[in-house]
Amino acid sequence: MPLLDTPVRLGIQLQPQHAPYPAFRDAVMRLEEMGVDVLFNWDHFFPLSGDPEGLHFESWTMLAAWAEQTERVEFGALVNCNSYRNPDLQADMARTIDHISAQGGTGRFIFGTGAGWFERDYDEYGYEFGTPGSRLRDLEQGLARIEKRWEKLNPAPTRRIPVMIGGKGEQKTLRLVARHADIWHSFVGPDELPHKLSVIEKWAETEQRPTDGLIISNELKDRDEEFADALYDGGVRLYTLGFQGPDWDYSIIERWLRWRDGKNA
């Protein structure tokens, strides 16, 4: 732990704001053709930057469209908010999108999830915001229900749907990573990574769940190749890049694809 003998992958987070939907459809097609490995959106109801009343689209319905539109890339939310939906419903939605994306083979959906944090989403859509602690407790209970529901659904998912958990809190979040996650996503720097990984390993011993297959994920936005190299040395193998439209600069993607390919050569 972490899993080091896996290729470097590049995930692009299409921020679902400030662009009409056809622009996202075109961007998805172009990014898959360019060779990115994973496509993400986020699970909010309002823009997180720019005009707070600007254009914005819902995450899961967009992901279902991507499942049908794409052929190769994996995809998911970075990350889903556990608070908005019944956990068993989340499991069923994930299973259905998994099947839509399988197209005769194995599904490509990644179940990225978290406890939620953007209070406006809760207030305007009528969800109880609670506290960080209560939202994490809900996530803990939700993940257990989701995994149980996946075992009951007919038809079952086409594969063991990978679970991605974001965050770095040592007492609760990283324990959930050790208990449930296939991918751990964070924004922590290279200097902080060894300690956080040691915390995950400690929790893994408590949970009696091996983490030798855990993929470490981190963000590239506003970072350079030297920083990415340091993250790589620390065990990161999935790199995500926030990508803001509608005037997407695809030269940034080409730059990071070259860096990825150099690491995998």
Side-chain angles (χ1 to χ4, degrees):
M1 202 280 284
L3 185 61
L4 301 179
D5 60 349
T6 185
V8 171
R9 296 193 297 161
L10 178 64
I12 304 302
Q13 185 188 46
L14 282 170
Q15 300 169 357
Q17 59 182 9
H18 304 313
Y21 191 77
F24 291 105
R25 185 186 300 113
D26 293 345
V28 166
M29 181 176 297
R30 182 164 180 178
L31 289 166
E32 183 171 51
E33 290 175 350
M34 290 177 71
V36 304
D37 300 292
V38 189
L39 292 174
F40 294 109
N41 61 16
W42 66 37
D43 190 17
H44 296 284
F45 303 133
F46 302 95
L48 297 185
S49 61
D51 180 3
E53 305 303 326
L55 300 176
H56 197 278
F57 291 99
E58 193 276 330
S59 172
W60 279 84
T61 43
M62 178 180 279
L63 293 173
W66 292 4
E68 189 68 47
Q69 177 185 349
T70 58
E71 297 180 356
R72 178 190 54 81
V73 292
E74 291 190 289
F75 62 95
L78 186 63
V79 289
N80 166 69
C81 179
N82 177 71
S83 303
Y84 305 153
R85 305 164 190 93
N86 171 283
D88 294 85
L89 174 61
Q90 293 178 63
D92 205 338
M93 293 162 65
R95 180 280 311 258
T96 300
I97 291 178
D98 167 71
H99 275 264
I100 294 171
S101 69
Q103 298 170 338
T106 301
R108 296 174 282 115
F109 181 69
I110 295 172
F111 184 70
T113 193
W117 62 272
F118 190 38
E119 188 169 2
R120 184 185 180 190
D121 289 332
Y122 291 77
D123 291 346
E124 295 215 26
Y125 275 61
Y127 297 104
E128 181 180 351
F129 188 55
T131 66
S134 69
R135 293 193 298 276
L136 279 167
R137 285 192 296 273
D138 288 344
L139 177 61
E140 178 181 12
Q141 295 167 6
L143 282 165
R145 286 175 58 182
I146 287 163
E147 291 179 347
K148 288 182 180 179
R149 180 58 56 185
W150 280 338
E151 295 175 356
K152 298 177 180 179
L153 288 170
N154 184 19
T158 67
R159 65 172 179 169
R160 184 184 182 280
I161 296 175
V163 174
M164 168 190 272
I165 297 176
K168 65 176 186 176
E170 296 183 8
Q171 294 306 309
K172 295 182 179 179
T173 302
L174 295 188
R175 183 166 190 174
L176 292 178
V177 170
R179 185 183 301 167
H180 297 284
D182 303 285
I183 306 168
W184 169 52
H185 180 76
S186 77
F187 295 82
V188 303
D191 293 342
E192 194 179 2
L193 268 177
H195 171 68
K196 295 298 184 183
L197 291 173
S198 71
V199 172
I200 294 173
E201 190 63 30
K202 172 188 146 188
W203 282 124
E205 293 174 3
T206 301
E207 295 292 332
Q208 297 185 328
R209 177 177 181 253
T211 57
D212 52 346
L214 184 68
I215 300 293
I216 310 304
S217 171
N218 209 297
E219 172 65 27
L220 288 174
K221 188 173 174 59
D222 299 324
R223 293 170 167 178
D224 59 17
E225 285 84 352
E226 182 179 359
F227 197 92
D229 286 340
L231 289 173
Y232 178 88
D233 292 340
V236 174
R237 292 298 182 269
L238 174 58
Y239 291 80
T240 67
L241 178 64
F243 203 39
Q244 173 66 60
D247 299 318
W248 287 287
D249 181 1
Y250 289 95
S251 67
I252 298 172
I253 308 300
E254 293 169 348
R255 166 191 166 194
W256 286 112
L257 285 172
R258 288 193 297 270
W259 179 85
R260 178 202 68 183
D261 293 344
K263 286 297 183 187
N264 291 336

